[in-house]
Amino acid sequence: MANQDNATRVWELIDKIGFCMLTTRSGDDLRARPMSAYTAQLENAIYFLTDVSSHKDDEITRWPNVCLAFADTKGQKYVSVSGTAEVQNDRERTKELWATPAKAWWDNPDDPSIRILKMTPATAEYWDSPGTIISYIKMAAAAVSNTKPDMGDNAEVKL
């Protein structure tokens, strides 16, 4: 039951935060870039709109293992998701995912250069703290009392 609750919390945090840094491999290097995430929990998938001419598409084709890092720094909530990704040319899914962030890159969902990036999560880890001010208070109290602070929930989850 705990793993199911933790998995549910992972999906809730991903939905709430919405944007992440997508890390791919580029030869011996790692490269991260911001992306707008669209979740499909029942499919165990996270989708992104991407452009056919982007380097990340080639990187994912060669090295499909990726990592997503979600961060709500004001709320002190973080999620790291590891899994595999694939590039798809699914025109119906493109129309389903079309939203305001996409308009910054393309005129409409029928643009032939749009591709779908589907990430299938395998594992995740989240850190869910009560917020910045409370965290600072807990750290200060722990420093004075020579104890470790309770910084909120942290769990590793198989998805």
Side-chain angles (χ1 to χ4, degrees):
M1 187 65 156
N3 189 59
Q4 184 177 356
D5 291 343
N6 287 332
T8 298
R9 188 61 184 144
V10 164
W11 288 104
E12 289 170 352
L13 288 168
I14 291 170
D15 279 339
K16 180 181 178 200
I17 298 169
F19 284 89
C20 68
M21 293 296 288
L22 164 68
T23 302
T24 59
R25 181 175 164 198
S26 174
D28 291 335
D29 297 324
L30 299 176
R31 183 180 301 180
R33 76 277 289 156
M35 301 286 289
S36 180
Y38 304 89
T39 60
Q41 182 179 354
L42 295 176
E43 297 174 39
N44 191 43
I46 302 169
Y47 291 98
F48 304 90
L49 294 177
T50 186
D51 197 280
V52 70
S53 65
S54 76
H55 296 289
K56 70 183 154 303
D57 296 1
D58 294 333
E59 294 164 4
I60 287 167
T61 299
R62 291 190 71 191
W63 301 284
N65 289 357
V66 299
C67 182
L68 309 177
F70 294 84
D72 170 7
T73 57
K74 288 183 182 174
Q76 294 294 299
K77 297 172 188 331
Y78 306 91
V79 182
S80 175
V81 183
S82 297
T84 55
E86 62 180 297
V87 178
Q88 302 174 338
N89 189 9
D90 182 340
R91 306 320 298 168
E92 289 305 311
R93 179 73 68 170
T94 300
K95 289 175 183 169
E96 289 172 20
L97 299 179
W98 186 259
T100 301
K103 293 176 185 176
W105 304 105
W106 305 281
D107 291 331
N108 62 65
D110 296 319
D111 188 315
S113 66
I114 301 173
R115 294 294 181 270
I116 299 293
L117 177 61
K118 177 185 179 186
M119 194 270 205
T120 303
T123 61
E125 184 169 4
Y126 73 89
W127 298 264
D128 189 357
S129 121
T132 304
I133 294 172
I134 294 172
S135 294
Y136 284 138
I137 292 168
K138 287 183 174 192
M139 285 187 280
V144 170
S145 64
N146 220 12
T147 62
K148 294 206 185 256
D150 175 8
M151 298 304 292
D153 297 328
N154 169 245
E156 292 182 33
V157 183
K158 291 218 182 280
L159 298 174

